[in-house]
Amino acid sequence: MKNEKRLVMALIVLIVMFLALLSARGGFENATPPQTTEDESVLEDEDLIVVGFSQLGSESVWRATHTESIQNALSKENGFFLQYSNARQKQENQIKAIRGFISQRVDYIVFAPFMEEGWETVLMEAKDAGIPVILVDRKIAGSEDLYTTFIGSDMEAEGRKAGEWLEADQEHIDRGEDDPLNIVMLTGPFGSTSQLGRSRGFLEVAQRHADWRILAQESGDFTVVKGKETMAKLLRQYDDIDVVVSQNDEMTFGAMEAISEAGLTTGKYGDMKLISFDGVKDALELVQYGKISCEVECNPQQGELVAEVIRKMEAGEKVEKEYFVDELVFTQANVGAYLKDRTY
Ligand code: AHR
């Protein structure tokens, strides 16, 4: 028995020595070094471009499509290693995620800022670490030196398109000769680029019309629930709303529920007209049925452009300060041609 024990011990010692020898000579090609995750060893092997992506949340179909577009474009097959973080609508979560990416020394940081203000400190840290920052979807306030490039929508142009559509359509709105055109605006979170830009663009057109009266600008947080709640409140406050400008499709769906629960209708022959933003499939169908009168597209398919710009930077080429994606305006007259291809 004693001899057997000695034999086992000797065997263990031999195995340990053998393993130590192998690892010292680099014998385990795929061995994971201490404090290195399996993913990181894959990176070393495959020479992937490491990107940290901080998404602001998952509040809408648009947002889910945007996330997916970036995840698909920055895939391993395409030469990228993507670290994804969802901030769930909290700026402090985004700041934490960006700090995490800096400490991991990623090659690029891609992020969709929830708000425009409040990024100076963390982006200065990224700059000091020499990590290029690519803004997607929304912008930041302050110095342009804090980021390399922006890829997304021209939110102000979107707001203007909404105003210009109304400018052309207002003569079809039934109202007394001297009555103003009563407008309510359901906005995105105050301080976000989508809210600031779309409001600025729409109000720029509104200013040209002395008879357009903006009754209210209230945030519906880009969600169905808050959109419905805010619209219900506005309907209790104002009994002669002609136009609802809703800055995203989720709020529009919520607002439509509130309007119908109040016994009212939308559309050409309805009690009020609806202008919406985004252009997700469900909304385009409502444009076809005539329930939404105008849909200003916000294009979430930004991933390919992000990948292209990173490749340019990798090749040492100069990149533009901003890239805008293509966007359309849909009405009942043209929506049929686009509906069949809409995947989201
Ligand atoms: O910033 C883009 C906006 O954010 C989209 O209009 C909206 O649906 C999203 O949540």
Side-chain angles (χ1 to χ4, degrees):
M1 205 50 184
K2 250 186 186 175
N3 280 345
E4 268 175 27
K5 253 191 184 171
R6 269 199 206 118
L7 197 68
V8 173
M9 285 299 287
L11 260 173
I12 291 174
V13 170
L14 264 174
I15 290 170
V16 170
M17 280 170 66
F18 175 69
L19 289 178
L21 194 73
L22 256 187
S23 97
R25 299 180 59 183
F28 290 117
E29 276 183 333
N30 293 318
T32 309
Q35 290 150 3
T36 307
T37 65
E38 206 181 282
D39 287 334
E40 281 165 338
S41 72
V42 169
L43 289 179
E44 282 163 18
D45 288 351
E46 300 191 14
D47 211 15
L48 300 170
I49 303 166
V50 186
V51 179
F53 170 34
S54 164
Q55 180 56 285
L56 65 89
S58 45
E59 72 285 2
S60 59
V61 170
W62 188 99
R63 182 70 48 203
T65 312
H66 183 251
T67 303
E68 215 180 281
S69 165
I70 291 178
Q71 285 173 331
N72 289 343
L74 303 188
S75 66
K76 222 175 122 190
E77 296 69 44
N78 292 340
F80 296 93
F81 181 80
L82 189 67
Q83 310 258 33
Y84 168 69
S85 167
N86 179 344
R88 299 178 200 292
Q89 310 284 329
K90 288 209 166 72
Q91 186 162 26
E92 64 263 32
N93 290 347
Q94 282 201 288
I95 292 174
K96 237 184 261 167
I98 294 170
R99 290 218 163 102
F101 297 148
I102 296 171
S103 68
Q104 287 169 54
R105 307 208 60 80
V106 298
D107 298 318
Y108 296 87
I109 292 173
V110 172
F111 97 109
F114 180 44
M115 291 292 153
E116 289 205 348
E117 301 284 343
W119 304 103
E120 289 78 6
T121 311
V122 73
L123 292 190
M124 214 43 228
E125 290 166 24
K127 198 178 165 69
D128 289 345
I131 304 173
V133 170
I134 298 171
L135 303 181
V136 287
D137 170 30
R138 300 183 188 173
K139 291 187 167 174
I140 57 159
S143 170
E144 285 194 350
D145 290 348
L146 292 173
Y147 62 93
T148 306
T149 183
F150 163 81
I151 296 167
S153 309
D154 185 340
M155 301 292 184
E156 213 167 305
E158 288 182 2
R160 232 176 284 124
K161 287 178 198 170
E164 282 158 5
W165 176 83
L166 187 56
E167 214 164 37
D169 186 76
Q170 58 177 328
E171 63 186 84
H172 305 298
I173 296 176
D174 189 24
R175 57 180 162 138
E177 209 170 295
D178 297 322
D179 287 352
L181 187 73
N182 289 327
I183 301 166
V184 296
M185 291 169 68
L186 293 177
T187 75
F190 290 116
S192 63
T193 305
S194 354
Q195 177 270 323
L196 291 166
R198 288 170 186 168
S199 299
R200 216 181 288 129
F202 182 80
L203 294 173
E204 186 190 306
V205 179
Q207 266 171 14
R208 305 203 282 253
H209 300 274
D211 60 337
W212 288 18
R213 188 188 292 161
I214 310 290
L215 299 175
Q217 298 182 58
E218 298 233 358
S219 171
D221 282 355
F222 281 148
T223 66
V224 177
V225 174
K226 195 71 196 302
K228 178 174 179 178
E229 191 186 302
T230 310
M231 189 68 222
K233 191 186 120 198
L234 293 172
L235 287 167
R236 285 192 297 273
Q237 255 174 293
Y238 306 103
D239 60 5
D240 192 15
I241 297 171
D242 297 307
V243 182
V244 181
V245 180
S246 165
Q247 288 181 351
N248 92 333
D249 283 337
E250 264 67 23
M251 294 190 300
T252 303
F253 302 144
M256 286 178 76
E257 281 182 35
I259 292 167
S260 129
E261 281 171 22
L264 299 167
T265 55
T266 63
K268 199 168 178 181
Y269 306 107
D271 298 293
M272 59 195 84
K273 289 205 170 176
L274 255 175
I275 300 176
S276 188
F277 292 74
D278 283 356
V280 304
K281 198 177 178 82
D282 287 350
L284 294 192
E285 277 165 2
L286 290 165
V287 173
Q288 196 166 48
Y289 296 141
K291 297 290 175 197
I292 295 175
S293 299
C294 170
E295 184 72 42
V296 180
E297 185 180 33
C298 182
N299 183 355
Q301 310 281 17
Q302 298 169 7
E304 286 301 327
L305 198 46
V306 174
E308 196 184 309
V309 167
I310 293 180
R311 282 196 200 101
K312 272 193 178 175
M313 288 161 79
E314 284 288 294
E317 288 173 37
K318 200 176 159 346
V319 297
E320 305 290 330
K321 199 66 198 180
E322 51 187 21
Y323 293 88
F324 291 124
V325 285
D326 294 333
E327 300 181 325
L328 298 167
V329 174
F330 304 109
T331 62
Q332 208 172 22
N334 71 350
V335 74
Y338 299 98
L339 239 179
K340 59 180 183 343
D341 296 328
R342 184 95 334 175
T343 52
Y344 54 91

XYZ file of all heavy atoms in Angstrom, residues 59-60 62-63 137-138 155 194 198 222 247-250 277-278 298, ligand 1:
164
model
N -34.888 50.703 -26.748
C -36.238 51.228 -26.570
C -37.171 51.046 -27.765
O -38.374 51.215 -27.617
C -36.145 52.726 -26.205
C -35.723 53.683 -27.332
C -34.230 53.644 -27.696
O -33.500 52.839 -27.112
O -33.830 54.412 -28.569
N -36.619 50.725 -28.947
C -37.496 50.709 -30.127
C -37.037 49.665 -31.153
O -35.924 49.154 -31.072
C -37.465 52.093 -30.795
O -36.125 52.412 -31.184
N -36.451 50.408 -34.138
C -35.353 51.114 -34.817
C -34.035 50.801 -34.113
O -33.042 50.468 -34.754
C -35.614 52.628 -34.778
C -34.643 53.421 -35.608
C -34.840 53.894 -36.858
C -33.307 53.815 -35.234
N -33.712 54.549 -37.296
C -32.751 54.512 -36.324
C -32.520 53.636 -34.097
C -31.460 55.038 -36.301
C -31.226 54.150 -34.086
C -30.709 54.845 -35.173
N -34.034 50.905 -32.799
C -32.796 50.707 -32.037
C -32.290 49.264 -32.194
O -31.108 49.030 -32.361
C -33.065 51.038 -30.550
C -31.855 50.930 -29.624
C -30.813 51.994 -29.839
N -31.368 53.319 -29.910
C -30.755 54.345 -30.513
N -29.581 54.183 -31.076
N -31.320 55.529 -30.567
N -25.401 57.350 -34.886
C -26.796 57.744 -34.639
C -26.933 59.161 -34.079
O -27.563 60.011 -34.682
C -27.479 56.711 -33.727
C -28.835 57.164 -33.225
O -29.498 57.929 -33.942
O -29.224 56.766 -32.104
N -26.356 59.422 -32.908
C -26.523 60.736 -32.287
C -25.171 61.401 -32.051
O -24.153 60.726 -32.002
C -27.271 60.595 -30.959
C -28.652 59.975 -31.138
C -29.406 59.910 -29.826
N -30.640 59.158 -29.983
C -31.438 58.827 -28.980
N -31.124 59.184 -27.739
N -32.549 58.149 -29.199
N -30.586 64.710 -38.447
C -31.851 64.831 -37.707
C -32.570 66.156 -38.016
O -33.798 66.217 -38.037
C -31.604 64.742 -36.202
C -30.955 63.443 -35.757
S -32.075 62.031 -35.952
C -31.068 60.725 -35.247
N -31.681 63.364 -31.572
C -32.904 63.137 -32.354
C -34.002 64.125 -31.948
O -34.741 64.616 -32.804
C -33.407 61.703 -32.200
O -32.529 60.912 -31.480
N -34.639 67.124 -34.746
C -35.969 67.055 -35.372
C -36.826 68.248 -34.971
O -37.579 68.785 -35.782
C -36.656 65.738 -34.993
C -36.021 64.557 -35.681
C -36.514 63.228 -35.157
N -35.750 62.135 -35.761
C -35.777 60.885 -35.363
N -36.536 60.533 -34.339
N -35.057 59.962 -35.966
N -39.591 58.209 -26.560
C -39.420 57.261 -27.672
C -40.018 55.887 -27.363
O -39.586 54.873 -27.934
C -37.934 57.094 -28.045
C -37.369 58.223 -28.893
C -36.040 58.601 -28.768
C -38.148 58.880 -29.821
C -35.500 59.622 -29.555
C -37.622 59.907 -30.617
C -36.294 60.269 -30.471
N -42.080 62.100 -32.837
C -40.688 61.948 -33.287
C -40.160 60.513 -33.364
O -38.988 60.303 -33.644
C -39.761 62.840 -32.439
C -39.928 64.313 -32.767
C -39.022 65.228 -31.968
O -38.360 64.793 -31.025
N -39.004 66.510 -32.316
N -40.988 59.507 -33.086
C -40.599 58.140 -33.503
C -41.836 57.245 -33.592
O -42.929 57.596 -33.123
C -39.500 57.529 -32.614
C -40.009 56.718 -31.445
O -41.113 56.942 -30.933
N -39.210 55.773 -30.985
N -41.667 56.084 -34.221
C -42.817 55.214 -34.488
C -43.421 54.620 -33.218
O -44.640 54.460 -33.128
C -42.409 54.094 -35.457
C -42.308 54.594 -36.896
O -42.938 55.623 -37.213
O -41.601 53.957 -37.696
N -42.567 54.294 -32.224
C -43.116 53.714 -30.986
C -44.115 54.690 -30.355
O -45.211 54.308 -29.967
C -41.987 53.397 -29.994
C -41.506 51.954 -30.021
C -40.815 51.592 -31.324
O -40.334 52.513 -32.003
O -40.770 50.395 -31.658
N -41.780 59.517 -37.417
C -40.378 59.358 -37.840
C -39.925 57.917 -37.611
O -40.349 57.281 -36.655
C -39.456 60.279 -37.026
C -39.643 61.752 -37.301
C -40.756 62.433 -36.827
C -38.693 62.464 -38.020
C -40.919 63.792 -37.059
C -38.844 63.832 -38.251
C -39.961 64.500 -37.775
N -39.034 57.441 -38.402
C -38.358 56.134 -38.381
C -38.650 55.360 -39.666
O -37.773 55.147 -40.464
C -38.719 55.226 -37.195
C -38.021 55.640 -35.902
O -37.202 56.568 -35.935
O -38.304 55.025 -34.862
N -35.837 57.402 -40.788
C -34.570 57.508 -40.081
C -33.921 56.141 -40.325
O -34.487 55.114 -39.952
C -34.812 57.756 -38.590
S -33.285 57.950 -37.654
O -31.869 58.374 -32.451
C -32.739 57.682 -33.284
C -34.041 57.507 -32.591
O -33.858 56.739 -31.437
C -35.112 56.791 -33.394
O -35.972 57.646 -34.052
C -35.868 56.135 -32.289
O -36.801 55.196 -32.689
C -34.779 55.669 -31.451
O -35.124 55.161 -30.271
